[in-house]
Amino acid sequence: MNVRPNISIINALIRITIGLTILSWTTSKLVKHPWRDSYLFVAMCGAMKVAEGIVRFCPLTALFEKCQCMISEHDQAMDSMDGMEGLTNQNGEEMLPYNPT
């Protein structure tokens, strides 16, 4: 898998700052209440944000961009069928009915 940066430097700095803030908050909460698993989960989310900022790669952003690319390719394929409204088969019936939407 080719991991290329897909977030900007400003976005990366914001992610690092917010991630470190979340990590420091959850660390202080875990000192008082070490039996709470929810603080551990939030700490892992904060660490993930710090890692995304350092590497400048966000898997959710990559997934969103990939889905957008697939949707645009589908739209281009549908646009390439424009102009085929009047095609008829051997019996004289329209193959693709015209639907002006």
Side-chain angles (χ1 to χ4, degrees):
M1 182 174 150
N2 189 6
V3 178
R4 292 179 295 165
N6 63 357
I7 58 175
S8 66
I9 299 230
I10 302 296
N11 193 337
L13 291 174
I14 291 170
R15 286 174 193 252
I16 291 171
T17 304
I18 291 174
L20 289 175
T21 303
I22 291 171
L23 272 174
S24 64
W25 179 76
T26 54
T27 303
S28 68
K29 291 293 184 179
L30 278 171
V31 168
K32 288 185 177 183
H33 307 285
W35 60 88
R36 298 263 174 102
D37 291 336
S38 61
Y39 293 137
L40 187 60
F41 176 73
V42 174
M44 291 176 118
C45 290
M48 184 179 68
K49 288 297 162 193
V50 172
E52 288 175 1
I54 292 171
V55 178
R56 289 186 52 206
F57 178 78
C58 178
L60 291 177
T61 303
L63 181 65
F64 180 74
E65 289 173 352
K66 184 176 180 181
C67 288
Q68 288 295 333
C69 181
M70 290 173 59
I71 289 171
S72 67
E73 287 176 1
H74 179 0
D75 289 345
Q76 287 176 354
M78 293 305 289
D79 288 343
S80 68
M81 296 193 62
D82 286 347
M84 300 179 131
E85 299 90 40
L87 294 179
T88 58
N89 61 11
Q90 294 174 350
N91 298 333
E93 300 170 347
E94 274 194 24
M95 294 170 51
L96 297 171
Y98 179 67
N99 187 6
T101 54

